[in-house]
Amino acid sequence: MADEDIKTPSNFIKTIIDEDLSTNKYQGRVATRFPPEPNGYLHIGHAKSICINFGLAREYKGTCNLRFDDTNPTKEEVEYVHSIEEDVSWLGFDWQDRKFFASDYFEKLFDLAVELIKNAKAYVDSLSADQIRKYRGTLTEPGKQSPYRDRSIEENLDLFQRMRKGEFDDGAHVLRAKIDMAHPNLLMRDPTLYRIRKAHHHRTGDKWCIYPMYDFTHCLSDALECITHSICTLEFENNRPLYDWVLDQVKPACRPHQYEFARLNLTYTVLSKRKLIQLVKDGIVESWDDPRMPTISGYRRRGYTPEAIRNFCERIGVAKANSVVDIALLEHTIREDLNARAPRVMGVLKPLKVIIENYPEGQSEELEAINNPENLSAGTRKVPFSKILYIERDDFMENPPKKFFRLAPGREVRLRYAYFLTCKEAVKDPQTGEIIELRCTYDPATKGGNAPDGRKVKATLHWVSAEHAIDAQVRLYDRLFTKANPEEKDEQGLTFKDFINPDSLTVLKNCKLEPCLAQASPSDFFQFERLGYFSVDPKTKQPGGPVFNRTVTLRDTWAKIKKAGKK
Ligand code: ATP
Ligand code: MG
């Protein structure tokens, strides 16, 4: 992507940045960061944060760091680090040489904690986690001071050093900030800064057995990296006073500021790594990149494009109030992008054999088809036609109801880019009664799909030539959850896992596709006419032909919602 003069719509963060630039608050610098914890794969909510942080840096010609917030060794893994890098790059953003890890700052953070102790701003507490919780008080009651709160600076320094050396078990002591146990904001009631965790860290190995907490690490990492605007989601609003308190004690050369925006929520979707990991661990989905997952890797595998995801993030905007976005808007944005770019092809998902009785045996011909009516420069291609074809089983009914205009006995329809076709007879399996093939005739005078005598047909069907078609497996996806808000607490105590859609995946194994698709590469996308947008699964290889994922159907419910809203 070119970096030249991108202008996006205004929002409250841009207003703040404009103001800061006008007052020269940071000497004209704009430095943001995207700070994922490597404890899971990124989801579409993270995409919003990535687009905001990297987008602002690009627009203001500033910088955006990729910083792994890796302070919890028991939940973090290298696999997640790699997946995060891959996803950010795929979305089209570049951190250049600014990839950082909070764990790289452990030594500095330790020294700063020692400074706090020396200034009587931190102490080692030896209450149990349970007791600390009880002593914290509630929103209506002040907390109680720990009996260890007044330990001497010397004792605190000694204990903290010994915590680091591994002399104590997990949970024996913590380091706490000394702020105010009666503070109206519970997070300010002497929050924990360090805890003992005798666990192997994916980067620092066994060097450390004490790990800094988020609230201590995050603001200081921002300061060490000279971040100007530290942008996070609204749930951190209550953490801001603590963010500022820590920085006030440390007085770093660069002073960052935290701003909060509303996180993305999507209907029919769960956006929390903690919950998504359960779907993976419980085998409800195949993996983090299962195409039903709202992860960036799942969407990528399903055929969503980075352009469409970026457009979506721009469309939903940046606001300060939480809201839920209709998933139909995301699907609409994908459709819009693919509509402009995806080559059209024909594929039959549930094949029904058609024998054209008056078409010469052994003959075939090539018919011209348009690759993309939205973009005529995409040109045309040749599609083979012959005596035996496949059409979609759903496009035929023996006894059609009134509104069914497709093929039926005695009825004429158009075959896309080919001829008019009339059904003479449906041949059934004598045992099961199932229709196994259709006997039809075609009108050679209608080549290209128009009758010279001007007669009309009410339907145009897609088809493939049996002898030329390639075999494929096609996977159709539906929403993973049956409930619009699966995260909402249910009165009966049901959780998101109780609302899994049992029909979220349909595997069709005997699909027949136009022969040009034999050349399709992983992640190539197409519109299968009348059926939706499909892309080649980049992960699954099978001997019987390619595996396609349906990215999205053609039916645009968002366009309908918008239209209804205007009326
Ligand atoms: P989750 O709640 O899914 O576990 P998290 O906030 O714990 O996510 P982090 O790795 O800490 O995940 O997130 C990295 C950044 O992405 C943070 O700045 C966070 O605010 C932001 N982020 C996370 N979820 C969303 C969301 N739904 N919408 C927008 N930004 C998000
Ligand atoms: Mg988090």
Side-chain angles (χ1 to χ4, degrees):
M1 242 182 305
D3 268 15
E4 293 88 55
D5 301 326
I6 296 160
K7 272 268 157 277
T8 60
S10 187
N11 60 49
F12 79 94
I13 299 175
K14 287 179 65 174
T15 306
I16 291 167
I17 295 179
D18 289 335
E19 167 84 17
D20 291 344
L21 289 173
S22 74
T23 59
N24 209 27
K25 186 165 172 185
Y26 306 101
Q27 297 76 47
R29 283 189 319 115
V30 174
T32 60
R33 84 288 171 266
F34 172 64
E37 179 179 358
N39 62 349
Y41 281 59
L42 298 180
H43 53 63
I44 183 84
H46 296 115
K48 175 178 179 178
S49 178
I50 293 167
C51 288
I52 292 172
N53 282 297
F54 280 94
L56 287 171
R58 176 177 289 167
E59 192 164 344
Y60 286 96
K61 308 214 182 323
T63 52
C64 180
N65 299 354
L66 174 62
R67 183 201 311 139
F68 292 96
D69 176 21
D70 56 347
T71 54
N72 187 356
T74 55
K75 297 226 165 107
E76 295 157 5
E77 286 173 29
V78 179
E79 177 195 344
Y80 298 139
V81 172
H82 292 315
S83 75
I84 289 167
E85 290 179 31
E86 188 180 359
D87 290 349
V88 175
S89 298
W90 178 78
L91 273 179
F93 297 107
D94 185 0
W95 55 87
Q96 296 166 324
D97 57 352
R98 291 180 299 275
K99 176 171 87 180
F100 301 111
F101 292 84
S103 56
D104 289 344
Y105 310 137
F106 280 173
E107 200 65 57
K108 281 184 196 146
L109 295 178
F110 181 84
D111 292 344
L112 291 170
V114 168
E115 280 305 301
L116 286 191
I117 297 173
K118 285 185 180 158
N119 294 329
K121 293 293 181 187
Y123 62 98
V124 173
D125 196 357
S126 310
L127 290 179
S128 69
D130 242 12
Q131 286 169 314
I132 289 180
R133 212 169 301 121
K134 284 197 191 112
Y135 276 60
R136 184 168 298 130
T138 63
L139 282 173
T140 48
E141 283 167 51
K144 241 176 26 183
Q145 297 197 355
S146 163
Y148 304 101
R149 199 175 195 262
D150 292 320
R151 273 179 168 146
S152 70
I153 290 174
E154 289 66 35
E155 191 183 358
N156 281 321
L157 284 174
D158 174 61
L159 283 170
F160 191 48
Q161 290 289 358
R162 288 167 59 200
M163 279 167 67
R164 176 180 180 166
K165 282 192 198 131
E167 288 185 23
F168 309 111
D169 290 338
D170 287 15
H173 308 282
V174 292
L175 183 74
R176 295 179 72 173
K178 199 171 196 174
I179 307 179
D180 177 2
M181 286 308 291
H183 201 286
N185 180 345
L186 268 67
L187 290 177
M188 296 292 275
R189 294 184 186 170
D190 291 9
T192 300
L193 304 179
Y194 267 88
R195 59 184 170 174
I196 304 171
R197 248 313 125 89
K198 292 195 168 151
H200 188 83
H201 186 281
H202 67 103
R203 297 191 80 244
T204 56
D206 296 316
K207 179 165 183 216
W208 292 90
C209 63
I210 55 170
Y211 290 94
M213 302 297 285
Y214 169 86
D215 285 309
F216 188 63
T217 313
H218 199 81
C219 53
L220 291 174
S221 303
D222 282 346
L224 290 168
E225 291 174 19
C226 274
I227 299 300
T228 55
H229 300 82
S230 178
I231 302 161
C232 63
T233 37
L234 273 181
E235 66 271 22
F236 291 101
E237 205 170 3
N238 281 339
N239 301 59
R240 186 167 11 108
L242 182 50
Y243 185 103
D244 288 333
W245 182 90
V246 173
L247 294 179
D248 285 343
Q249 310 313 311
V250 169
K251 297 189 181 55
C254 300
R255 175 72 195 238
H257 285 85
Q258 176 181 305
Y259 301 97
E260 308 91 17
F261 69 95
R263 62 191 285 118
L264 170 65
N265 299 298
L266 261 189
T267 57
Y268 297 98
T269 308
V270 160
L271 290 185
S272 144
K273 283 183 281 188
R274 198 173 52 74
K275 290 179 180 151
L276 294 176
I277 202 168
Q278 290 180 49
L279 299 177
V280 178
K281 293 230 155 112
D282 294 355
I284 293 168
V285 296
E286 190 189 290
S287 52
W288 280 100
D289 67 352
D290 186 303
R292 291 167 293 177
M293 288 283 268
T295 50
I296 296 176
S297 53
Y299 285 140
R300 172 166 68 237
R301 201 173 148 198
R302 181 155 166 172
Y304 284 30
T305 61
E307 291 83 354
I309 294 178
R310 291 199 306 264
N311 285 343
F312 170 72
C313 291
E314 189 163 312
R315 223 167 240 178
I316 57 177
V318 185
K320 249 193 150 351
N322 277 320
S323 64
V324 183
V325 175
D326 194 321
I327 194 161
L329 175 61
L330 174 62
E331 291 166 354
H332 168 80
T333 312
I334 305 306
R335 219 173 259 124
E336 192 179 59
D337 183 40
L338 294 176
N339 180 43
R341 302 196 287 150
R344 274 56 171 172
V345 292
M346 291 195 284
V348 175
L349 301 189
K350 294 176 197 152
L352 175 60
K353 192 185 270 183
V354 166
I355 298 177
I356 307 175
E357 292 184 327
N358 60 337
Y359 196 85
E361 193 90 41
Q363 184 178 308
S364 71
E365 63 188 298
E366 296 211 299
L367 301 169
E368 188 153 43
I370 296 170
N371 285 333
N372 186 351
E374 299 288 321
N375 170 20
L376 293 177
S377 71
T380 61
R381 70 187 184 287
K382 301 283 189 200
V383 185
F385 185 88
S386 65
K387 187 178 178 74
I388 304 177
L389 311 176
Y390 291 113
I391 64 163
E392 210 66 65
R393 201 161 265 279
D394 295 346
D395 281 339
F396 175 81
M397 281 186 94
E398 197 176 15
N399 301 299
K402 245 189 164 161
K403 289 211 163 150
F404 186 88
F405 298 115
R406 292 167 273 165
L407 202 57
R411 191 179 287 173
E412 188 170 52
V413 296
R414 177 189 294 107
L415 294 176
R416 180 84 156 145
Y417 299 121
Y419 297 97
F420 281 16
L421 181 88
T422 304
C423 177
K424 299 293 174 193
E425 187 199 348
V427 181
K428 292 180 184 166
D429 181 315
Q431 247 99 63
T432 64
E434 190 201 3
I435 295 168
I436 47 174
E437 65 180 49
L438 302 179
R439 296 269 159 181
C440 299
T441 57
Y442 84 120
D443 178 355
T446 56
K447 185 164 179 169
N450 289 304
D453 62 5
R455 76 181 188 277
K456 298 273 181 255
V457 287
K458 285 199 167 143
T460 301
L461 309 188
H462 60 274
W463 52 275
V464 292
S465 162
E467 73 172 284
H468 302 93
I470 63 159
D471 293 312
Q473 188 190 107
V474 172
R475 297 172 178 178
L476 307 180
Y477 301 102
D478 197 352
R479 290 176 179 153
L480 192 49
F481 296 96
T482 53
K483 197 169 168 236
N485 182 359
E487 293 188 272
E488 190 179 59
K489 280 220 178 68
D490 188 276
E491 285 142 23
Q492 290 140 40
L494 297 177
T495 73
F496 68 103
K497 281 196 271 180
D498 299 308
F499 304 109
I500 298 282
N501 174 6
D503 301 316
S504 61
L505 168 65
T506 307
V507 179
L508 300 170
K509 292 196 168 147
N510 302 305
C511 308
K512 301 284 183 183
L513 311 180
E514 210 184 297
C516 71
L517 289 170
Q519 270 82 54
S521 306
S523 302
D524 280 358
F525 48 78
F526 302 91
Q527 185 194 94
F528 290 6
E529 296 215 24
R530 302 175 62 225
L531 299 173
Y533 296 97
F534 294 75
S535 77
V536 183
D537 191 293
K539 207 170 166 183
T540 325
K541 299 272 176 294
Q542 52 133 32
V547 176
F548 277 86
N549 293 315
R550 178 152 71 189
T551 309
V552 65
T553 61
L554 293 176
R555 199 160 38 97
D556 194 337
T557 48
W558 181 254
K560 275 196 206 119
I561 295 166
K562 258 200 335 207
K563 227 166 141 193
K566 274 196 192 130
K567 269 182 201 158

